[in-house]
Every structure is written in structure tokens, then in C-alpha cells.
Amino acid sequence: MPRPLSAARTVEHPDVSEVSLQQVMEALADPVRRAVVSQLADRGEDMTCGSFVTPVSVSTLTHHFNTLREAGVIRQYYVGTAKMNALRADEIEGRFPGLLAAVVAAAGTETRAGTT
């Protein structure tokens, strides 16, 4: 059944308290996903899906967004027709202290060294 025209588009997100360290680490193991997280952290504001700089196609990037969302690392929401991405930094910090900061710092070191 098609959704009514007036229904808001929503995206499902896990409660971070139910996300395992394994899920988060697996999501952050991929260099493209680390780049997405780093760009969100560096920018310090929510970003549209199309504003990320990555070496992958749009459909592949969608897969990476889904993986990060399902692991509780990002929150996605719509503003009009644009899908926005927000880093759930405070929630992840509360559950896994220091993890995101360490990953972002390491990703920056890798990028500067050209080892990603």
C-alpha cells in the first residue's frame, strides 16, 4: 500500500544502549565509513548525503550510510527531499567513552600519511 502523500518520511534508528561494541567497531572498520564519520566530526554540523567526499558511487555510499545508521553511529532524517546525516557523538561517547574521538584522530593520521 503506498504511503499517504501527507505522511512524513522517517528513518528507523537503534537505541544506542542496545548497540554492541562489535557492531560499532565493524561499522567503523571500513575506510569509507571512517571518512563519513570524520567529515561529520570535522564539519561539526549535519550534512546531506550528497555533500560527502568519497571514492564510491551513490548506491555504495547509501550502503555505508545504512551500516553506520544500523550501528547507531549516525542519525538520518529528512529536511524536505534532502536526507540529512548527523553524528551521534554524544550518545556514542556515553556508551563507549573515547571511541569516536580515537577513530576520528586515527583516520586523520591515516589520511595525512596517505595510508587509507
Side-chain angles (χ1 to χ4, degrees):
M1 171 192 267
R3 68 181 171 83
L5 294 177
S6 62
R9 297 189 315 183
T10 60
V11 182
E12 296 293 319
H13 299 89
D15 186 315
V16 173
S17 68
E18 297 174 2
V19 173
S20 71
L21 178 60
Q22 183 73 26
Q23 286 175 283
V24 175
M25 296 299 289
E26 287 176 2
L28 296 173
D30 185 276
V32 172
R33 293 192 286 267
R34 284 195 308 273
V36 166
V37 169
S38 293
Q39 289 175 51
L40 281 167
D42 291 346
R43 174 113 22 122
E45 62 186 32
D46 302 353
M47 297 171 63
T48 63
C49 289
S51 63
F52 290 87
V53 177
T54 65
V56 298
S57 69
V58 172
S59 62
T60 300
L61 189 55
T62 297
H63 162 74
H64 289 299
F65 288 136
N66 288 338
T67 300
L68 288 168
R69 181 179 45 75
E70 290 166 3
V73 177
I74 65 170
R75 179 172 303 282
Q76 293 185 303
Y77 63 95
Y78 286 94
V79 174
T81 59
K83 189 182 252 186
M84 302 298 293
N85 298 276
L87 189 59
R88 295 175 74 179
D90 290 342
E91 293 170 85
I92 294 293
E93 179 64 22
R95 176 100 165 108
F96 306 110
L99 179 64
L100 277 182
V103 168
V104 169
T109 301
E110 281 184 340
T111 299
R112 287 188 295 281
T115 58
T116 55

